[in-house]
Amino acid sequence: MRPLPLWLLSLLLCGLGAAASSPDSSSQLSAPQNPKLHLYNDEQTLTWEPSPSSDDTRPVVYQVEYSYIDGSWYRLLRPNCTDITETKCDLTGGGRLKIFPHSFKVFLRVRAKRENLTSEWVRLEPFQHYENVTVGPPKNISVTPGKGSLIIHFSPPFDVFHGATFQYLVHYWEKSGTRQVEGPFKSNSIVLGNLKPFRVYCLQTEAQLILKNKNIQPHGLLSNVSCHETTADASTRLQQVTLIPLGIFTLLLVLTGACFILFLKYQSRVKYWFQAPPNIPEQIKEYLKDPDQFILEALDKDSSPKEDSWDSVSIISSPEKERDDVLHTP
């Protein structure tokens, strides 16, 4: 084998050196960091942290691709996910047709790009919406107080398809009482019965996602606390109509008996308290009206002559005189 000419060897060495000094385009840009997928009800949002800053002032954009089980990658041709400067990609579709069917397993990856330079792809763990979603509380909750009950109406947290459904739990408690749980219920109209009338009950509702041929998903989020007062049924109202007058009559009877016993015990004092005040004689009243008039004259003037006057007094005989006459008779 003939040795290579010197000029050819030098050319090859220069080419290798140039290739070594020119890094691959995929490693010229730093990759995005900490990608996260947010799944809440119908929402699907991919977020990440930007690539580390460099001296290059040219703008950096990001690209998102997805794949199913077959392993082929497809670019998300959406305005908010293709060559974007934001570090967020909204994957939520509108209407009944979603970008990713909720029952499919989806793979995602994201990379940074600056003109003709790109970073390495950063891949996320595969997800299936129904398997990984956080279920929020039921929506449009309304509560109507009933006769010893609460009637609850609501709508599901989001629409489900492909063999998925919801079941519901109601957490309730009397104010300052112990929390209780009723359910699960399949309907979104629930009657919470056997409650005490005229009592205030607080409640929260919860939705659980059930997948076909699979276990129930973890508990969903609870709704806000709302408190409501129950009403009375017909029998309770009848009892109130009967018991209230009876209670008033009994109370009056007890008070009357107590007053009678006190009267007997303190009879003398009661008579003293209720006796009529002393009256001033009429003569004194006249004198007080005219102090210049002599009191004795006023008294004589008002006295009746029939009571203290006699025409004459005569003594016919006395027992002593008759006795003396008998003794001196010869």
Side-chain angles (χ1 to χ4, degrees), residues 306-324:
K306 295 181 180 180
E307 296 178 358
D308 298 330
S309 63
W310 296 271
D311 291 339
S312 62
V313 178
S314 60
I315 301 174
I316 299 176
S317 63
S318 65
E320 291 82 1
K321 185 177 180 181
E322 292 180 357
R323 186 181 58 184
D324 291 341

Side-chain angles (χ1 to χ4, degrees), residues 283-295 298:
Q283 296 86 346
I284 302 301
K285 289 182 180 180
E286 293 293 334
Y287 172 74
L288 293 176
K289 290 179 182 179
D290 187 10
D292 294 336
Q293 183 181 1
F294 292 99
I295 184 63

Side-chain angles (χ1 to χ4, degrees), residues 157-175:
F158 58 96
D159 295 330
V160 292
F161 309 97
H162 305 294
T165 186
F166 283 110
Q167 68 178 17
Y168 304 96
L169 301 173
V170 178
H171 303 250
Y172 72 99
W173 62 97
E174 190 177 349
K175 270 198 170 181

